Amino acid sequence: MMAPQYAAAATELEPAVRLAKVNTDAETTLAHEFSIRSIPTLALFKDGREVARQSGALGKSDIIRWVRQHT
């Protein structure tokens, strides 16, 4: 399960990067708006624009590396 890895990455990346989770079952309009087709999907935004997207589970170090690679 990716949730603990995600939480650990969020703790390490704060305050430079803010990670947030969206329940796409509850927020179907948002999922549709951002074309979320698989879970988990990471989308990285900078200044309100999507700059990168990654589908599939990642470990803590992979999440951190992915974020830093695109910021």
Side-chain angles (χ1 to χ4, degrees), residues 7-36:
T11 299
E12 188 166 324
L13 290 166
E14 286 279 346
V17 176
R18 170 76 37 99
L19 298 185
K21 297 192 312 185
V22 174
N23 180 337
T24 56
D25 290 330
E27 301 293 338
T28 57
T29 302
L30 191 61
H32 179 66
E33 180 180 342
F34 289 99
S35 301
I36 305 297

Side-chain angles (χ1 to χ4, degrees), residues 35-47:
S35 301
I36 305 297
R37 293 187 178 93
S38 64
I39 305 299
T41 294
L42 298 175
L44 184 63
F45 292 83
K46 184 172 183 173
D47 299 324

Side-chain angles (χ1 to χ4, degrees), residues 55-67:
S55 295
L58 298 174
K60 174 189 167 190
S61 61
D62 294 323
I63 294 168
I64 292 168
R65 182 176 21 259
W66 179 79
V67 168

